[in-house]
């Protein structure tokens, strides 16, 4: 196996980890947030934060490093329309993901505090939950579009 194929493999695996962990975590927290059990919410929120730390963050770092190396090695200028669109969509997903991380931490802390204090969740939790969900939709759609562009490499714009 040559270096290009190894880096390409790392790029593909990290993309799967990034999108798979993101979608899986979102799925579980989305439905845990609709359950009355604070214990269930606490467990899922704690695991979602860990998954982002252990899996998503390294994948987010690996994606641009491997992708830029692959583009350079293959001789594709970053202004190649499908590549530029992919980079912009990845940046959009990242711009959504960073506040999602912050919201997940706040939600996890709030549900843990509510459990420890024997109270219900604050009204603010609902606001964080909705913002978390609405930031997830464009991030996920952007990553699906990146997958499409990476696989098809369409001639865009003319």
């Amino acid at each position: 196996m040559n270096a290009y194929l190894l880096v390409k493999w790392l790029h593909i695996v990290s993309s799967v980890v990034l999108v798979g962990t993101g979608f899986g975590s979102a799925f579980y927290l989305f439905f845990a947030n609709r359950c009355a059990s604070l214990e269930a919410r606490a467990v899922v929120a704690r695991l979602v934060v860990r998954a982002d730390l252990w899996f998503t963050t390294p994948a987010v770092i690996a994606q641009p490093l491997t992708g830029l190396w692959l583009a350079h090695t293959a001789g594709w200028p970053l202004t190649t329309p499908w590549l530029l669109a992919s980079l912009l969509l990845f940046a959009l997903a990242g711009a959504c993901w960073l506040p999602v991380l912050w919201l997940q931490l706040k939600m996890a802390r709030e549900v843990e505090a509510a459990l420890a204090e024997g109270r219900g969740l604050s009204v603010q939790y609902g606001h964080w939950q909705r913002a978390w969900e609405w930031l997830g939709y464009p991030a996920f759609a952007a990553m699906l579009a990146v997958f499409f562009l990476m696989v098809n490499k369409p001639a865009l714009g003319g």
Side-chain angles (χ1 to χ4, degrees):
M1 179 180 298
N2 64 36
Y4 184 86
L5 292 177
L6 178 62
V7 174
K8 185 175 182 178
W9 176 81
L10 288 170
H11 190 68
I12 292 167
V13 168
S14 65
S15 73
V16 170
V17 169
L18 173 64
V19 175
T21 302
F23 185 74
S25 295
F27 175 87
Y28 288 112
L29 191 55
F30 179 89
F31 285 104
N33 277 330
R34 281 148 180 78
C35 138
S37 169
L38 290 183
E39 291 84 0
R41 288 184 186 203
V43 168
V44 172
R46 186 173 38 245
L47 291 174
V48 164
V49 168
R50 284 183 192 160
D52 268 344
L53 178 64
W54 295 349
F55 303 113
T56 309
T57 299
V60 163
I61 294 166
Q63 279 291 280
L65 294 176
T66 57
L68 292 171
W69 187 89
L70 289 168
H72 173 74
T73 303
W76 289 315
L78 297 182
T79 56
T80 304
W82 66 266
L83 186 53
L84 181 59
S86 296
L87 291 167
L88 292 172
L89 287 164
F90 187 80
L92 169 65
C96 294
W97 180 66
L98 289 172
V100 159
L101 289 176
W102 177 76
L103 289 164
Q104 286 172 178
L105 286 168
K106 292 184 83 58
M107 290 190 301
R109 288 183 186 134
E110 167 60 17
V111 74
E112 291 285 351
L115 270 173
E117 297 166 15
R119 62 171 171 81
L121 293 172
S122 68
V123 172
Q124 188 62 43
Y125 186 94
H127 299 301
W128 296 333
Q129 174 187 337
R130 282 185 294 285
W132 175 84
E133 289 174 13
W134 282 102
L135 285 165
Y137 299 131
F140 187 66
M143 291 308 297
L144 289 179
V146 169
F147 273 129
F148 176 83
L149 292 168
M150 291 286 121
V151 169
N152 293 292
K153 298 174 181 46
L156 301 175

